Amino acid sequence: MVFLRRTMLLRFLLMSAILALFLFISSLWLPNGGLRDCGGPWQPCLSFHKQMPEPPLALGEWVELNKAPPLIKDCPGQSFQALLLLQYLKSSLADADDLLLESYLQSWDQLLKFMESLGTMVSFFSQKVKEKVVLIRELSLKHSAEAHGKRGLSVRSGLQTPESFGLQRGAYRSLRSMVKAELKEGVVDFSRRTDSGCRTLLRLHRSLLWLKLMLEGLADGPDADGRYKTPGELSRDAYEVALAPHHPWLLRQAAEFVFLALPERRYFLQLVCVQSQREATPVLHVIIHALKLVHTQTQRILHEHDMLELP
């Protein structure tokens, strides 16, 4: 028994060390978001089909929040709250043909808490997501400061502007207004990487699809043999569709270690305050529906401006 425990511990430490090495290397040569640049010695690539835009989806009616508590409950003692996530997702679609960025980023604040609850290995994904959320907020503050004559001030050095100011009133109030402003100012480049809000949000958009697909797998029943897929398997399947086509080979290999380290299915169910698969399925369907509405709205707007493949 002692030998077995030591073996498992050594295996975990080895996996962690290898992942840390991958992350260190990627931080030196991968641009923000992980561009695919085939042909180099560090980046053998596979051929992938480009993700096609989703067909237009009628937004339909939301599940009323006053009807949600029987399904979606507050979870005392944990940081991720599914009810808050639903509220922010709904708020992000308050404009019928747009996406409000403040609520969208607040949704990501909750999704980050969900990801961080899965263990330190998931920081492989969550840290990059967090950087993108922070960048869009910083861009909104910078744009608002410059619009009010405060050019040259650094956001990181302590602007006195409230965090939500630029997102509520300025060019970064919504996805459409951000696209319009950044195209007008020439900060979006369709041939090379730039730290624009549009490019950054596209990376968040792909990660949202990954989470949506993973949750869809958790909501599914068993296969023909009565077996449920593990969260690691579901995450890998979702990754292959949503993120792998946009990641270089080395990053895809590193992601495998994350999937191996994910907790068992029961832990995921506890994050939405249920104890069984039977309880979890209707709860997950409500969350998935909300994610689908936001993802489809974002997909439509980015597709209108040919931004689904920004480098």
Side-chain angles (χ1 to χ4, degrees), residues 72 74 79 81-89 107 110 113:
I72 313 294
D74 289 327
S79 57
Q81 297 292 333
L83 189 58
L84 277 179
L85 173 61
L86 285 173
Q87 289 172 338
Y88 293 139
L89 290 171
S107 302
Q110 282 300 310
K113 291 176 182 178

Side-chain angles (χ1 to χ4, degrees), residues 151-169:
R151 293 181 180 275
L153 291 179
S154 169
V155 174
R156 293 185 182 276
S157 67
L159 282 177
Q160 297 302 308
T161 313
E163 181 179 276
S164 62
F165 181 81
L167 294 167
Q168 286 182 344
R169 305 180 188 177

Side-chain angles (χ1 to χ4, degrees), residues 75 78 80 82 111 114-119 122 210-211 214-219 229-236 258-277 279-281 283-284 287:
C75 292
Q78 71 178 41
F80 169 69
L111 289 170
F114 174 82
M115 295 170 70
E116 290 165 353
S117 299
L118 303 178
V122 183
W210 171 61
L211 286 168
M214 182 180 68
L215 292 177
E216 286 176 351
L218 285 172
K229 281 191 172 184
T230 67
E233 291 171 327
L234 296 173
S235 297
R236 182 183 296 107
V258 177
F259 305 140
L260 289 173
L262 287 178
E264 60 184 20
R265 178 180 284 257
R266 179 179 300 179
Y267 184 83
F268 281 79
L269 303 187
Q270 290 173 350
L271 288 177
V272 292
C273 279
V274 298
Q275 300 299 320
S276 68
Q277 183 66 40
E279 291 180 279
T281 297
V283 172
L284 291 173
I287 297 173

Side-chain angles (χ1 to χ4, degrees), residues 180-201:
K180 180 179 178 181
E182 291 197 339
L183 286 175
K184 181 179 179 180
E185 294 169 7
V187 298
V188 180
D189 195 306
F190 290 85
S191 60
R192 64 181 180 85
R193 173 191 178 270
T194 60
D195 287 329
S196 65
C198 294
R199 178 191 182 274
T200 303
L201 190 131

Side-chain angles (χ1 to χ4, degrees), residues 51 54 85 89 92 99 104-105 107-112 115 129 200-216 238 242-243 287-299:
Q51 181 184 346
E54 295 181 0
L85 173 61
L89 290 171
S92 72
L99 186 78
Y104 178 79
L105 296 180
S107 302
W108 268 112
D109 291 338
Q110 282 300 310
L111 289 170
L112 278 166
M115 295 170 70
V129 170
T200 303
L201 190 131
L202 173 61
R203 270 60 188 175
L204 290 177
H205 177 61
R206 292 169 178 169
S207 295
L208 191 74
L209 177 61
W210 171 61
L211 286 168
K212 182 180 80 74
L213 293 174
M214 182 180 68
L215 292 177
E216 286 176 351
L243 294 173
I287 297 173
I288 292 164
H289 177 65
L291 291 172
K292 181 179 181 180
L293 292 177
V294 170
H295 183 271
T296 302
Q297 184 81 303
T298 309
Q299 183 91 351

